[in-house]
Amino acid sequence: MATVTRADLADAVHRETGLPRRDAAEFVESATEAIAERLSAGETVTISGFGSFRVRDKRAREGRNPRTGEPALIPARRVVTFRPSHVLKMRIAEGRADSGNEA
């Protein structure tokens, strides 16, 4: 399984737009920072044709320590969830990839 890094995304932006690599890297950094800021403010971030990121509050609950089996309290926390768009779902179901592009 391959991991897509920020550098991979910057390379893809560079190839697709012709922007200098440094500008492409700054663009990717700005985009990820904008997404993070909106999510930390509790807003939903929707990328058309890709999906939506949303912050969800999870309540505290009791779990178990996997090593000892003893009960353990799992504290309340905020988590980010992702819901893919129908377009992305269709692409995944079809097993399609963009003409050999990796990122």
Side-chain angles (χ1 to χ4, degrees):
M1 172 181 1
T3 299
V4 178
T5 65
R6 289 179 187 210
D8 295 333
L9 293 174
D11 284 343
V13 170
H14 165 70
R15 283 192 311 272
E16 293 292 321
T17 65
L19 282 173
R21 287 186 192 277
R22 184 176 191 172
D23 291 347
E26 288 177 10
F27 171 78
V28 169
E29 192 62 36
S30 294
T32 56
E33 184 59 32
I35 292 169
E37 284 178 13
R38 298 289 189 219
L39 290 170
S40 65
E43 297 177 35
T44 297
V45 176
T46 302
I47 301 172
S48 182
F50 185 70
S52 297
F53 296 91
R54 187 177 77 125
V55 175
R56 188 174 143 230
D57 292 317
K58 293 186 88 173
R59 62 179 176 78
R61 62 187 173 89
E62 188 174 303
R64 296 220 173 266
N65 180 326
R67 284 192 181 155
T68 65
E70 293 179 21
L73 180 64
I74 300 170
R77 62 193 190 278
R78 297 174 80 195
V79 297
V80 176
T81 61
F82 175 73
R83 182 173 178 178
S85 71
H86 70 280
V87 173
L88 181 58
K89 286 181 183 180
M90 287 177 17
R91 286 184 67 174
I92 291 169
E94 294 171 2
R96 259 194 324 150
D98 276 346
S99 60
N101 288 343
E102 297 276 325

